[in-house]
């Protein structure tokens, strides 16, 4: 399937680890120009030099940005547009994984997972209108099913991400801008949440692993592939969906 992503300008937050890192690579493999960010300068420097060597025929441009700093985030979006001349796809991917039912975690989840997502999209929308581009937000199965961390802000805010993305899709459809969500199930990443859980709480990890009917957790590349499809021209009539990629972990029927 030809995705038609060559030369498209794609913005991804949280691009140096986990699902974000896989998405950066996958878009580069399709010939897209990829701007990505994270907070750790050493990781950005490494990614910039490795990706430039690995993908000499396109461009990977990593920048240090903390998405919870809204001024910094908006100014990054605007500098990406200036540097690459356009924006075709935005993927707000960062979460602060706020799992505690405390005021601090509720505020952090709103700021990092929701307000930064809204701010990034808001800053990019005038550019997306010009390119008839699209948005892919990253939610979670925790936004659909009540999970083992409940009651906590994580799932509630992830549900809000799905709701907002569907509203956006409806509002922007007449202008040719699409918006979809991808909701990963349990995605195993050595230096990510499940790798850490496996080392710190092996019994909790095993309990969660056992819930996965395929007998395994997902790979970050499996989420990247789904996001690539949603962001591509092959999904030109797909807007407002919540694409759950979880190996059938969720048992509810999504109507
Ligand atoms: N892993 C799963 O099982 C799973 C399941 C469902 C949904 N998801 C969702 O998928 C998304 C990615 O998760 P992941 O597991 O891939 O995460 P991850 O492995 O922890 O990677 C997070 C990335 O985001 C960056 N980051 C974190 N906070 C940031 C901030 N404030 N500003 C800028 N960059 C920041 C990190 O780099 P720095 O720390 O250097 O900034 C890193 O590059 C999240 O929205 C998560 O909710 C994940």
């Amino acid at each position: 399937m030809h995705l038609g992503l060559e030369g498209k300008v794609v913005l991804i937050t949280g691009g140096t680890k986990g699902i974000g890192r896989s998405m950066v690579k996958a878009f580069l493999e399709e010939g897209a120009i990829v701007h990505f960010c994270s907070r750790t300068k050493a990781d950005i420097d490494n990614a910039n030099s490795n990706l430039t060597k690995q993908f000499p025929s396109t461009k990977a441009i990593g920048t240090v940005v903390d998405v919870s700093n809204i001024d910094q985030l908006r100014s990054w979006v605007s500098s990406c547009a200036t540097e690459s001349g356009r924006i075709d796809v935005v993927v707000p991917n960062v979460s602060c994984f706020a799992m505690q039912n405390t005021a601090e975690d509720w505020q952090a989840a709103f700021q990092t997972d929701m307000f930064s997502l809204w701010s990034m999209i808001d800053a990019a929308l005038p550019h997306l209108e010009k390119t008839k581009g699209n948005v892919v937000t990253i939610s979670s199965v925790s936004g659909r099913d009540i999970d083992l961390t409940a009651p906590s802000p994580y799932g509630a805010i992830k549900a809000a991400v799905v709701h907002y993305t569907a509203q956006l899709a409806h509002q922007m459809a007449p202008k040719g801008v699409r918006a979809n969500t991808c909701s990963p199930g349990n995605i195993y990443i050595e230096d990510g949440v499940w790798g850490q859980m496996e080392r710190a709480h092996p019994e909790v990890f095993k309990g969660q692993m056992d819930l996965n009917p395929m007998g395994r957790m997902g790979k970050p590349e499996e989420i990247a592939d789904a996001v690539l499809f949603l962001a591509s021209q092959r999904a030109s009539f797909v807007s407002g969906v919540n694409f759950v990629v979880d190996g059938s972990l969720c048992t509810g029927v999504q109507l």
Side-chain angles (χ1 to χ4, degrees):
M1 192 191 285
H2 182 65
L3 296 173
L5 288 166
E6 304 88 348
K8 300 287 184 197
V9 176
V10 179
L11 273 58
I12 300 171
T13 63
T16 53
K17 291 182 196 137
I19 293 168
R21 178 171 52 198
S22 286
M23 293 193 289
V24 168
K25 252 187 103 184
F27 276 106
L28 289 169
E29 277 162 0
E30 294 300 318
I33 294 159
V34 182
H35 292 264
F36 62 97
C37 72
S38 78
R39 294 166 300 181
T40 310
K41 188 173 180 323
D43 289 348
I44 289 285
D45 291 345
N46 274 340
N48 276 339
S49 86
N50 292 339
L51 294 170
T52 304
K53 280 183 217 136
Q54 225 176 323
F55 298 98
S57 57
T58 183
K59 256 168 120 183
I61 309 131
T63 308
V64 176
V65 175
D66 181 341
V67 301
S68 68
N69 180 331
I70 303 301
D71 289 344
Q72 219 181 77
L73 175 65
R74 281 182 172 275
S75 119
W76 176 63
V77 172
S78 137
S79 67
C80 296
T82 306
E83 188 173 346
S84 292
R86 56 189 288 142
I87 298 176
D88 297 281
V89 179
V90 298
V91 188
N93 164 62
V94 166
S95 169
C96 64
F97 295 97
M99 306 291 185
Q100 303 302 315
N101 192 22
T102 60
E104 292 73 23
D105 266 26
W106 278 97
Q107 277 171 347
F110 177 73
Q111 183 74 11
T112 304
D113 292 26
M114 188 69 230
F115 188 44
S116 83
L117 177 143
W118 176 83
S119 302
M120 181 185 188
I121 295 168
D122 187 59
L125 266 185
H127 304 283
L128 295 175
E129 280 188 45
K130 285 190 206 142
T131 58
K132 308 241 176 285
N134 70 86
V135 172
V136 184
T137 56
I138 306 299
S139 178
S140 167
V141 286
S142 301
R144 258 201 78 193
D145 278 2
I146 294 166
D147 69 12
L148 81 167
T149 67
S152 86
Y154 182 70
I157 295 285
K158 288 299 196 183
V161 166
V162 178
H163 190 108
Y164 165 68
T165 309
Q167 291 176 351
L168 182 71
H170 196 67
Q171 179 208 349
M172 296 308 291
K175 296 185 171 170
V177 175
R178 296 183 301 111
N180 291 293
T181 299
C182 179
S183 286
N186 301 147
I187 305 304
Y188 186 85
I189 300 146
E190 189 70 50
D191 55 351
V193 279
W194 292 114
Q196 285 156 22
M197 181 72 82
E198 187 179 24
R199 289 185 291 278
H201 306 286
E203 66 303 332
V204 180
F205 176 78
K206 187 183 176 313
Q208 189 64 29
M209 177 68 94
D210 290 347
L211 294 176
N212 281 269
M214 288 192 181
R216 68 171 178 92
M217 292 188 174
K219 301 174 195 156
E221 304 83 48
E222 290 173 315
I223 303 306
D225 284 344
V227 170
L228 245 62
F229 168 70
L230 291 174
S232 79
Q233 270 310 303
R234 304 313 291 251
S236 51
F237 201 52
V238 181
S239 199
V241 308
N242 180 18
F243 190 175
V244 176
V245 183
D246 70 343
S248 198
L249 174 64
C250 289
T251 51
V253 177
Q254 192 177 9
L255 296 173

